[in-house]
Amino acid sequence: MMGPRQVEQGALFYEFSLDTHVPAEHLLRSIDRFVDLTGLRQELAPFYASTGRPSVDPELMIRMLIIGYCLGIRSERRLCDEVHLNLAYRWFCRLGLDGRVPDHSTFSKNRHGRFRDSDLLRRLFETVLARCIAEGLVGGEGFAVDGSLIRADANRQKGVESSAGLPPEAVSRAAREYLAVLDEAAFGAATPVPPKFISPADPAARWTGAHGGQAFFAYTANYLIDLDHAIIVDVEATTAIRQAEVTAAKRMIERSRERFDLYPAKLAGDSGYGSAEMLGWLVYEQGIEPHISVFDKSTRTDGTFSRADFTYDQPDDVYRCPAGRVLTTTGTRVNDGATLLYRASKFDCTPCPLKARCCPNEPRRKVPRSIYEGARDMARDIARSEEGKTSRRERKKVEMLFAHLKRILKLDRLRLRGPNGAKDEFHLAAAAQNLRKLAKIIPVPQPSPA
């Protein structure tokens, strides 16, 4: 039988509780346990005037941003509409049924002002990380590092050749931020090689063809994670070039030590972090085992002996060639003081029957050796061990986080421009991923039966 027609009837009184209408298994209910913004509010206090019209509650804006980044809502205009309509979002933001949702322009005004002046989003990430540490999800014994390219909000077809420089009309906020970071190792000073093209809309975005397809403008999101539960220990935005990623890795390791007293015993990474200088920094200065593939281009392809065919005698500090002859060094460093040259005697090389396979076009053979070769040997030994094989598997946890970042959180392309825009987005995304991990690992306590 067809039921009666529903007719709207006004009621004089309602008994309605948002809390009872949010499902117990809802993601925001699981996350809400770990969101404590009281400290952030105190840090923002000096950036507000003591008189004048009351501003929008900063805690409300941060909670709305957490919703957006946790649930992949990329547009702040759409985020405001969703919070206005969704009961669970209103509950998480403490708005009630009649609370007013701020206008989307409020986010932009605060982001370019108070949020960046106080480094609020960095503090938000560290607050979430501190909760992860307090819950025992960060072991601190083994870390992994990696970077991933994130497309910038810049049209690849509107790039100008770097030799021509920025056009006079490029006076945007992103252009001013680019000029401010020209001397930073993470951006302009990462390499002396200029990019092929520059984007007038976002000059700090790097023109790159690293994915093998069409080149595009991008930034790099650098993650340092703990290997126990893949908690993001630190995050850094850099230009899309390998030298900047190595610099970011050093910064993140040092910062995690200063801020949270974390002393990892090992660091896992791909060969991009396996330069001699980086391995030497890890072993000799930080005391960290390098579970990293060594970046080595010493293998020859012309059929002559490679450096690996020469045996190094550490007690005597000499190399021995395949014929058993000795190569010595004067101790003079070359290549910016990072390399020693070991040379054989001309009287040994000239009559040697292996000369055609060793140095056919030179009177004697010379072998370069990095001053960090001991750290490189240590990394090679670790790579051949079972522990090294385990680290290579665990290192994929970073790549899984980047896949989650792009596919689930929808951060495959930046929405904000400039170095500060990239930093803001990466800090919020990393905080959201850590919050989701907390909610996944630590179940919601079930109420005990009466």
Side-chain angles (χ1 to χ4, degrees):
M1 180 178 67
M2 183 181 295
R5 184 187 299 274
Q6 295 292 324
V7 179
E8 181 180 0
Q9 297 180 354
L12 295 177
F13 302 100
Y14 286 98
E15 290 186 4
F16 187 89
S17 172
L18 278 179
D19 185 71
T20 60
H21 284 73
V22 179
E25 66 276 7
H26 198 284
L27 176 64
L28 291 181
R29 186 178 286 279
S30 300
I31 287 176
D32 186 65
R33 301 170 291 155
F34 308 110
V35 178
D36 182 9
L37 304 179
T38 54
L40 299 182
R41 186 180 179 88
Q42 294 174 359
E43 293 184 14
L44 271 179
F47 297 89
Y48 286 86
S50 57
T51 59
R53 184 178 178 181
S55 66
V56 177
D57 184 1
E59 183 174 344
L60 169 60
M61 287 187 286
I62 293 299
R63 284 183 172 271
M64 290 179 66
L65 288 173
I66 290 175
I67 292 174
Y69 279 83
C70 282
L71 300 177
I73 304 175
R74 300 290 296 133
S75 167
E76 287 171 355
R77 189 186 297 267
R78 181 183 161 220
L79 176 63
C80 291
D81 293 339
E82 293 288 342
V83 172
H84 177 72
L85 296 172
N86 193 297
L87 294 180
Y89 298 174
R90 281 184 167 273
W91 171 84
F92 183 80
C93 293
R94 311 294 192 262
L95 278 174
L97 284 176
D98 55 353
R100 183 175 178 272
V101 178
D103 187 76
H104 67 89
S105 61
T106 307
F107 291 95
S108 177
K109 183 176 180 180
N110 281 274
R111 182 189 304 112
H112 297 304
R114 300 184 182 97
F115 287 3
R116 288 182 182 170
D117 292 342
S118 63
D119 205 13
L120 178 68
L121 300 182
R122 175 74 199 181
R123 300 299 303 157
L124 171 65
F125 166 76
E126 292 183 347
T127 300
V128 175
L129 174 59
R131 184 59 184 270
C132 294
I133 295 174
E135 295 290 345
L137 302 187
V138 178
E141 292 296 322
F143 285 177
V145 65
D146 204 357
S148 183
L149 295 179
I150 307 293
R151 292 178 181 270
D153 184 23
N155 192 331
R156 64 179 303 275
Q157 297 179 344
K158 294 185 178 181
V160 298
E161 292 188 8
S162 59
S163 58
L166 288 175
E169 62 271 16
V171 292
S172 64
R173 180 183 287 108
R176 294 195 296 271
E177 290 180 7
Y178 165 69
L179 297 175
V181 298
L182 277 177
D183 296 331
E184 287 192 13
F187 289 98
T191 174
V193 180
K196 187 176 182 180
F197 295 104
I198 295 178
S199 168
D202 191 354
R206 185 85 181 188
W207 179 260
T208 177
H211 284 171
Q214 285 187 330
F216 56 94
F217 293 105
Y219 287 91
T220 296
N222 298 276
Y223 278 3
L224 180 69
I225 73 164
D226 182 81
L227 290 175
D228 280 2
H229 293 93
I231 295 295
I232 302 170
V233 176
D234 208 338
V235 56
E236 182 93 0
T238 64
T239 188
I241 194 168
R242 177 56 72 175
Q243 293 93 318
E245 294 179 27
V246 173
T247 300
K250 294 181 179 180
R251 285 182 178 179
M252 292 188 293
I253 291 172
E254 292 174 340
R255 190 161 48 207
S256 64
R257 179 172 297 179
E258 294 171 1
R259 301 284 179 88
F260 298 98
D261 200 29
L262 296 174
Y263 291 81
K266 64 179 181 180
L267 178 71
D270 58 27
S271 60
Y273 302 92
S275 65
E277 189 273 336
M278 178 63 178
L279 295 175
W281 181 83
L282 287 172
V283 175
Y284 302 137
E285 297 185 30
Q286 303 298 315
I288 299 174
E289 290 184 1
H291 291 236
I292 299 173
S293 301
V294 178
F295 184 77
D296 192 353
K297 288 189 175 181
S298 63
T299 302
R300 294 190 175 187
T301 58
D302 58 357
T304 58
F305 293 131
S306 300
R307 185 175 60 190
D309 297 315
F310 292 75
T311 304
Y312 180 66
D313 187 346
Q314 186 172 3
D316 295 333
D317 190 22
V318 296
Y319 272 98
R320 299 189 186 278
C321 72
R325 302 299 182 179
V326 174
L327 289 77
T328 60
T329 180
T330 61
T332 302
R333 297 184 181 183
V334 298
N335 296 339
D336 297 330
T339 305
L340 295 171
L341 288 180
Y342 290 75
R343 295 181 175 88
S345 171
K346 183 179 179 181
F347 298 102
D348 290 335
C349 289
T350 300
C352 182
L354 299 178
K355 187 176 188 305
R357 294 185 56 195
C358 186
C359 52
N361 301 321
E362 297 178 3
R364 58 177 178 171
R365 179 64 185 263
K366 58 184 177 182
V367 174
R369 178 180 175 85
S370 170
I371 60 174
Y372 308 110
E373 197 65 30
R376 285 158 60 90
D377 290 339
M378 181 180 180
R380 293 187 184 100
D381 293 339
I382 292 174
R384 289 190 290 265
S385 66
E386 288 299 324
E387 189 178 1
K389 295 177 182 179
T390 302
S391 295
R392 284 196 291 274
R393 291 194 300 269
E394 292 181 331
R395 185 175 57 83
K396 294 180 181 179
K397 293 179 181 180
V398 193
E399 299 171 4
M400 294 171 64
L401 282 171
F402 287 133
H404 180 269
L405 177 71
K406 297 177 182 180
R407 296 184 182 181
I408 306 301
L409 303 189
K410 311 298 184 184
L411 191 55
D412 55 344
R413 181 186 176 97
L414 292 175
R415 185 174 50 81
L416 306 180
R417 291 175 177 173
N420 288 330
K423 292 176 184 177
D424 290 348
E425 292 229 55
F426 295 159
H427 281 137
L428 280 168
Q433 287 183 291
N434 281 348
L435 282 171
R436 289 176 65 110
K437 184 61 66 72
L438 278 167
K440 180 179 179 181
I441 296 177
I442 303 176
V444 179
Q446 298 298 324
S448 57

